[in-house]
Amino acid sequence: MAEITENEYTEIEYEKWGQVVIKAQLIIACIVCAIEVINNIILYVTRSQGYGPDTIVQKLIRYLLITSVINFGMVVLSKIVERRVEDEITKRYCLMLFTTLMCTDVAYSHYQFSVTFAIFTIPLVISILYEDKGLTIFTLVISMFGNLISVAARANDLEYNRDIGPEAAIAFSLPISIYLFSRLITTTLENRRLKAQEAVSRAEKANANAEKMALSFKMLETLAGTIDAKDKYTNGHSMRVATYATMLAENMGWSKESIATLRYESLLHDIGKIGVPDEILNKPSKLSDVEFDLIKSHTVVGADILKNMVAVPNATEVAKYHHERFDGRGYPSGISEYEIPENARIVCIADAFDAMNSDRIYRKALSREVIREELVKGRGSQFDPNMLDVFLKLFDDNKLGVKTDTYFALENDSNKQDIMNDIESVIGRLASLKDSESAITEFDKFYKYMRNIGLRYERSIEVMSIDLESKSKDISYKALDEAASKLEVAIRKNIRAVDVYYRYSPTRHMMILLDAGAANIDVIQQRVQYDFELNPEMENFIIKFSLNESIEPPKGLYNK
């Protein structure tokens, strides 16, 4: 979808206004010409007002021909200026000058003096379109000058024996009133435009920050993955610890901002392992005291690496203290209870749970019963008892998900590029369709194509649709597009390089997941929903997930 810029919301479309002014001039010229033709025909036929044929011919030449030539001449000049003058300010001033000259010509030539004070309201009202205070003042000045010429002509006409004083007063006061009214409108429109600019600027900054956060998260994921890859049995460990920690914090009532920060801190908790030799991390036999001390040093090394990290300032204390124990027998500092930072106490539980729930080089993952027994055994000794109670409830309710080692291990799959090329080819064919009916038919076949690709490579391919819905019927396109961008950031943050994201429309997004597995799909779904709902301004939107054949084809194309 094309990006919407600030100018599309706030800039005045001067070229269109210039065309409007010329059309208004043409309407004035045609109406005046038609009125004069009809008026002279009636006078000639009826001989009303005592006019003879000679007098009528004089009026025809005086009012009809001269006025029409001048009026249509102004229209022609305006067209020339509109096409050839490049400077926008010069162009608009010329157009308003020609319009006012037309009005002066009509007011000067016409017998009815009421036209004098009525005709000059036209250029003043048109000038409001430009929202230019200087242009409106210019139009007022030349309108008053044209008014003066018309009043003087009428006052010196010996055949015009009416008292023009009251009408002259109206002729001058009406343009001034219109001018004051235009200033009010211009000021109001200017204020609204400034507010619109501020709103768009805030939205652009928010989108930029969201994109930066998504990029930062991806970088942290990559860094955490690099650390985890040092131990082939703990691949995906940092990501899982981050997931468990944020779920625990959420159920403890933490704010969304604090939970988002904790997620970054959790990802980096083992960064100090980058300084531990691989042969020690992957040693299948029992570690010596020296080797174990070297592994324990990863907490201090990690804190030293992160001490200058401004983006995630508390990552230092998580890296340093996540192996401290509630009873004070942990490392590296031996602090106890509430001396241990709260975020480190949370990561301590998440880290221990994942260690028991994952295969290690020296053992297989423990059973659920053993894991629960070990967690309870550590209550008040290794773990904060209050935090552990909340975590145990998540564990008992089966809300912690499953191991995700396989899911994240596919990043370096050898034939992933061939699979992705085939998937993107099918998406490209769907995206290129212009006709809604054809697209719906093709969309219905989409899942069959995905299954065929999976069969060809003997891999599992899952298609998940995420539909964005508003809780309110009166939602603007701008708000919908902003929500769609937030959802895109949340999705891209939580899929791997081997997965494919496709935005079919602002309200429909798709993830094509390779060998994700049903249990991991639930985890991905929870992460996407969680990251989307982290944005407080998205509270008026909900997202719904559908998988494979349960996805209904859309009713039409939205983003073409």
Side-chain angles (χ1 to χ4, degrees):
M1 178 174 294
E3 182 179 354
I4 300 175
T5 63
E6 180 176 325
N7 289 340
E8 290 183 69
Y9 288 111
T10 58
E11 286 296 320
I12 304 167
E13 300 180 68
Y14 292 119
E15 291 185 2
K16 290 185 177 180
W17 291 165
Q19 296 169 9
V20 169
V21 173
I22 294 174
K23 288 178 180 178
Q25 292 175 346
L26 189 59
I27 290 171
I28 293 172
C30 291
I31 290 176
V32 170
C33 181
I35 290 174
E36 288 298 334
V37 169
I38 294 172
N39 186 42
N40 280 281
I41 291 174
I42 293 173
L43 291 176
Y44 187 83
V45 173
T46 62
R47 301 290 194 273
S48 61
Q49 300 184 17
Y51 289 128
D54 294 340
T55 306
I56 292 173
V57 172
Q58 287 180 348
K59 283 177 61 60
L60 183 67
I61 295 173
R62 178 182 175 186
Y63 294 123
L64 179 58
L65 297 182
I66 296 177
T67 301
S68 297
V69 168
I70 293 176
N71 288 346
F72 285 105
M74 293 296 106
V75 175
V76 173
L77 284 176
S78 296
K79 289 293 290 184
I80 294 173
V81 167
E82 197 266 338
R83 291 181 178 179
R84 297 188 178 182
V85 176
E86 295 183 358
D87 182 64
E88 191 57 51
I89 296 177
T90 302
K91 185 186 299 184
R92 76 180 75 156
Y93 274 78
C94 287
L95 291 177
M96 296 314 302
L97 173 63
F98 297 152
T99 305
T100 308
L101 289 176
M102 288 179 63
C103 295
T104 302
D105 174 52
V106 174
Y108 176 82
S109 304
H110 204 277
Y111 185 79
Q112 297 295 327
F113 187 56
S114 58
V115 175
T116 302
F117 60 78
I119 197 72
F120 287 105
T121 60
I122 295 175
L124 284 167
V125 171
I126 292 177
S127 70
I128 299 175
L129 290 173
Y130 287 97
E131 301 179 35
D132 185 336
K133 294 177 181 178
L135 180 65
T136 308
I137 294 174
F138 170 77
T139 306
L140 174 67
V141 171
I142 58 178
S143 295
M144 296 297 282
F145 185 72
N147 227 333
L148 181 63
I149 294 174
S150 303
V151 170
R154 201 65 66 238
N156 292 325
D157 189 347
L158 299 178
E159 297 181 1
Y160 195 83
N161 56 8
R162 290 170 52 188
D163 181 10
I164 67 169
E167 290 181 321
I170 296 175
F172 285 104
S173 62
L174 189 59
I176 294 175
S177 300
I178 296 294
Y179 166 74
L180 296 175
F181 177 68
S182 72
R183 286 295 297 268
L184 176 64
I185 293 177
T186 303
T187 302
T188 301
L189 292 175
E190 184 177 6
N191 291 336
R192 290 190 64 184
R193 187 168 66 254
L194 289 174
K195 289 180 179 178
Q197 289 174 338
E198 292 173 0
V200 171
S201 179
R202 286 195 299 270
E204 288 178 344
K205 288 180 180 178
N207 287 335
N209 290 336
E211 290 173 359
K212 287 179 181 178
M213 289 291 283
L215 178 61
S216 299
F217 191 80
K218 274 294 182 187
M219 291 174 64
L220 291 178
E221 279 186 348
T222 302
L223 180 59
T226 302
I227 299 165
D228 291 345
K230 286 172 65 65
D231 182 349
K232 63 181 179 180
Y233 282 90
T234 60
N235 204 357
H237 168 71
S238 296
M239 177 63 72
R240 294 192 301 274
V241 169
T243 299
Y244 302 143
T246 52
M247 290 176 69
L248 176 54
E250 183 177 11
N251 281 269
M252 290 172 55
W254 280 31
S255 68
K256 291 183 177 180
E257 293 76 10
S258 299
I259 293 172
T261 303
L262 176 65
R263 187 172 185 177
Y264 288 98
E265 296 165 355
S266 304
L267 275 174
L268 299 172
H269 77 284
D270 270 347
I271 192 173
K273 286 185 177 179
I274 202 168
V276 180
D278 293 354
E279 57 269 21
I280 295 178
L281 284 175
N282 294 307
K283 185 177 180 180
S285 58
K286 184 178 179 180
L287 298 173
S288 68
D289 291 341
V290 174
E291 290 170 335
F292 187 55
D293 286 341
L294 188 56
I295 285 184
K296 289 196 296 185
S297 70
H298 82 274
T299 56
V300 177
V301 172
D304 190 56
I305 292 173
L306 298 173
K307 64 182 180 182
N308 295 319
M309 190 172 188
V310 179
V312 192
N314 294 327
T316 302
E317 55 190 34
V318 171
K320 186 173 183 179
Y321 298 121
H322 70 278
H323 281 294
E324 297 289 357
R325 291 170 55 100
F326 201 71
D327 59 9
R329 292 189 297 162
Y331 62 88
S333 302
I335 57 178
S336 62
E337 297 187 354
Y338 302 107
E339 293 177 301
I340 307 170
E342 189 176 23
N343 48 6
R345 279 179 274 143
I346 286 179
V347 173
C348 175
I349 297 173
D351 186 43
F353 171 75
D354 187 67
M356 292 186 284
N357 193 46
S358 302
D359 292 339
R360 293 300 171 99
I361 192 169
Y362 48 86
R363 61 154 172 81
K364 290 290 186 180
L366 304 180
S367 66
R368 283 184 57 85
E369 293 75 15
V370 173
I371 291 174
R372 194 183 196 288
E373 183 182 336
E374 290 296 321
L375 289 172
V376 172
K377 189 185 297 184
R379 187 181 187 277
S381 55
Q382 183 176 355
F383 310 121
D384 181 319
N386 296 323
M387 289 182 176
L388 185 68
D389 290 343
V390 178
F391 192 82
L392 284 172
K393 187 175 188 311
L394 290 170
F395 179 85
D396 293 337
D397 293 341
N398 294 315
K399 292 183 178 179
L400 294 174
V402 297
K403 294 185 296 178
T404 53
D405 303 73
T406 305
Y407 179 68
F408 289 98
L410 283 167
E411 291 286 349
N412 297 315
D413 195 284
S414 60
N415 64 356
K416 68 176 182 180
Q417 193 59 51
D418 294 334
I419 302 173
M420 290 175 67
N421 288 340
D422 285 353
I423 292 174
E424 289 174 354
S425 174
V426 176
I427 290 177
R429 185 163 68 248
L430 179 66
S432 65
L433 294 173
K434 303 295 183 182
D435 178 68
S436 297
E437 186 175 346
S438 300
I440 293 171
T441 304
E442 191 76 10
F443 203 100
D444 200 27
K445 301 176 183 175
F446 183 75
Y447 312 107
K448 297 179 182 177
Y449 294 148
M450 292 298 106
R451 280 198 302 272
N452 290 338
I453 293 173
L455 291 172
R456 186 185 313 147
Y457 292 97
E458 297 182 347
R459 309 299 286 269
S460 168
I461 296 179
E462 302 290 351
V463 180
M464 178 178 285
S465 169
I466 305 99
D467 291 324
L468 179 65
E469 297 182 4
S470 169
K471 297 177 182 178
S472 171
K473 293 182 179 179
D474 301 324
I475 194 71
S476 67
Y477 179 81
K478 177 184 173 184
L480 178 61
D481 190 62
E482 182 179 349
S485 298
K486 297 286 187 185
L487 178 56
E488 179 177 344
V489 169
I491 294 171
R492 290 189 182 279
K493 184 190 293 186
N494 290 291
I495 61 175
R496 306 156 300 166
V498 293
D499 299 322
V500 177
Y501 164 78
Y502 174 53
R503 178 170 172 171
Y504 183 79
S505 75
T507 57
R508 170 156 291 188
H509 303 244
M510 290 197 305
M511 296 187 294
I512 296 93
L513 308 173
L514 176 62
D515 286 339
N520 288 312
I521 288 174
D522 290 339
V523 174
I524 300 165
Q525 176 179 323
Q526 291 170 8
R527 291 176 183 173
V528 170
Q529 182 146 9
Y530 175 77
D531 282 321
F532 179 74
E533 292 175 352
L534 272 180
N535 304 290
E537 64 271 22
M538 295 296 107
E539 60 184 8
N540 292 325
F541 292 90
I542 57 175
I543 53 177
K544 294 184 177 180
F545 297 85
S546 304
L547 190 62
N548 294 352
E549 286 83 356
S550 61
I551 305 173
E552 294 183 4
K555 303 192 186 308
L557 295 177
Y558 301 92
N559 62 339
K560 300 299 178 189

